[in-house]
Amino acid sequence: MDEISRINLLRQQLHEHNRRYYVLNQPEISDQEFDALMRELQELEARHPECFDPNSPSQRVGSDLNHEFQQVQHRRPMLSLANTYNKEEVSDFYNRVSEGLQGQPFKICCEMKFDGLSISLWYEHGRLVRAVTRGDGVQGDDVTENVKTIRSIPLVLPHRDDIPEEFEIRGEVLMPWESFEALNRERAASEEPLFANPRNAASGTLKSKSSAVVARRRLDAYLYYLLGNDIPSESHYQNLLLAQQWGFKIGPQTRLVSSLQEIYDFIDYWDTERRNLPVATDGIVLKVDSIAQQRSLGMTAKSPRWAIAYKFLAEKQTTILREVTYQVGRTGAITPVANMDPVQLSGTVVRRATLNNEDFIRRLDLHIGDHVFVEKGGEIIPKIVDVDLDARDQNLGPRVEFITHCPECGAKLVRYEGEAAHYCPNDANCPPQLCGRIEHFISRKAMNIDSLGPETIAEYFRRGIVRDPADLYEIRRDQISGARGQRDKSASRILQGIQESKNVPFERVLFALGIRFVGEIAAKSLARYFKSMDALMHASIDDMLQVNGIGQVIAQSVTTWFQNPQNQWLVERLRSYGLQMELSEQELSVHSDRLAGQNIVISGVFAHHSRDEYKALIERHGGKNVGNISAKTSFVLAGENMGPSKLEKAQRLGIRIMSEDEFLQLIENPTQL
Ligand code: IVH
């Protein structure tokens, strides 16, 4: 067999193995065998660039190249569903349908309401050509490159007579609980903000600019609506079953019923059973099955008359409070944590829940042994929402009293005026604060020393190797390479990572210091305004208030931080190790406030600079690069081939379109604005 035929065969086989694994959950070959076939395909494709196929199974790994999303108009608007919350409203819907159909018999397709974000997929000649988010229902973002990395979405369909030449299929992109929890564990470890729920995680991921990130995050998709001019069946349910045979993942819970009672049974069953599903659901969707009947029922302005959503109540459980423990964060903030008897909540076992702060505990009059209601609504961290006072008996333990001293270092806690949280003021010696500051220092958005992680830092801290961030630059190989040098390789990596961090730009060094209230953006603004650590150290509060986005709270916090001799010493040591203490030449040379307050959309292909360079230019001149055109857009920086829908929208909103040359002139000479 020649190499080209082999490529085609491998592609076919890999598509099928993909489907068996991700859609049917019935793999036929081992992961190793799959990887071997994939590697073979990748090697052959590399040798035959002329055979490139955007829908090849090898394209599922995504790319790190940044891309902008083009706005695309939906061929048919994406409507939403009217919600119901109880059986009476469901029965009203059923009766309305029955009346609307003038007594004709009808069937209802019952489906899970998946809690992710909706997606519209376009197929032409058996190939995925476009994937678009719902957007505002009329137009959405073209996220095709990202969607291709979702393994359960077929890129190429089998050859079958019943597949229309062109069709649209809609469904929900989701992040399964398992991926969601793993992702948040990872983010917690690198101090990145956690996603509140799988829906936010899925939507954040799908809108990521790097499809390689999407590929790593393991999204899934369930399809629930087939549309087109020549779809195979007059029954919605039959269409779904066919789509399943074409390789799409359909909710296996889907049932066709013909009475109100059967609908109730479906609701009752899944109301509890949904907790065992691998993905989040927030209700049930009921659809009239016959497409002819759907047509005759029609739509209101917002939603079809032939379908409705029944929403589950937020999930709540009761369990018993056994103990309250307290966590100390990097800033010294104390979080009270309820430790409870384990309880099943939305598919996971919950043992701990947040209690927020002292006032909250008081308000509940919380006692050890109380029966508490735990909720995992939208949030990832479960919370206690109430106490069942009627369930109290003689076994009730003592009332929960907020601690007065730090559980880690014993310092007396303080509570600042106007704040709900308690703090441990011993920032110079309290171990979790010291450790937390080093973890923040190395985190991705700060110094990005990714050869080190929180566990390693904790170990070095225990062994007395590091107590503050500057100690990192004093680590010797013999301290970390193991007694017999068995960790030599990882020691080299770690030392190299630490060395490389000396090139991290000043603004991130400033962020890395972990000054209270100085986040990424404040650090950037301060760095650009003052240009050096020295200038910032000597700045007064009034000086700082001149900076865009800096208010009293941040200015005060920065001043206090620099007044502390220990912090001054830290900065001097970091300086002596060669960290960047001022803006680089390049950043200094082209920087102004010329575009301050301007929201600028970049679109099209450019001749003089790359898109990324324009983005950097905009930021260096104080402007903001935004993704989508809206009424708030100041102007569009347009290159060649600006997307037609963007152009149309800009014109409709009367937003100025600026050419590349005009823009370059503008940053030289801002009076033209
Ligand atoms: S059908 C015209 N079916 O719920 C019918 N939607 O408010 C349009 N959803 O935007 C949708 N599971 O994102 C349908 N089985 C299901 C669904 C479902 C989740 C979402 C979808 C839609 C929203 C409706």
Side-chain angles (χ1 to χ4, degrees), residues 123 125-126 157-167 230 232 246:
Y123 285 80
H125 308 289
L157 304 179
H159 296 287
R160 288 173 57 122
D161 292 342
D162 54 0
I163 302 185
E165 286 210 338
E166 283 189 16
F167 67 90
D230 46 4
W246 304 344

Side-chain angles (χ1 to χ4, degrees), residues 79-81 111-114 117-118 134 172 224-225 285 287 304 306:
L79 303 176
S80 61
L81 296 171
E111 304 170 17
M112 297 314 289
K113 185 167 191 302
F114 296 106
L117 69 152
S118 37
R134 177 170 187 277
E172 202 84 349
Y224 47 63
Y225 193 16
V285 179
K287 300 174 184 166
W306 47 266

Side-chain angles (χ1 to χ4, degrees), residues 83-124:
N83 287 326
T84 59
Y85 297 89
N86 53 50
K87 288 186 179 160
E88 212 183 313
E89 290 171 349
V90 171
S91 140
D92 289 346
F93 164 74
Y94 196 83
N95 294 333
R96 270 201 312 277
V97 167
S98 187
E99 272 166 38
L101 296 175
Q102 296 166 342
Q104 284 172 32
F106 62 95
K107 291 193 174 143
I108 296 283
C109 184
C110 307
E111 304 170 17
M112 297 314 289
K113 185 167 191 302
F114 296 106
D115 195 12
L117 69 152
S118 37
I119 190 83
S120 149
L121 307 175
W122 256 98
Y123 285 80
E124 285 173 15

Side-chain angles (χ1 to χ4, degrees), residues 210-231:
S210 150
S211 55
V213 168
V214 187
R216 281 197 296 275
R217 295 232 188 122
R218 302 284 158 191
L219 295 172
D220 203 349
Y222 285 91
L223 286 306
Y224 47 63
Y225 193 16
L226 184 66
L227 302 90
N229 291 335
D230 46 4
I231 52 174

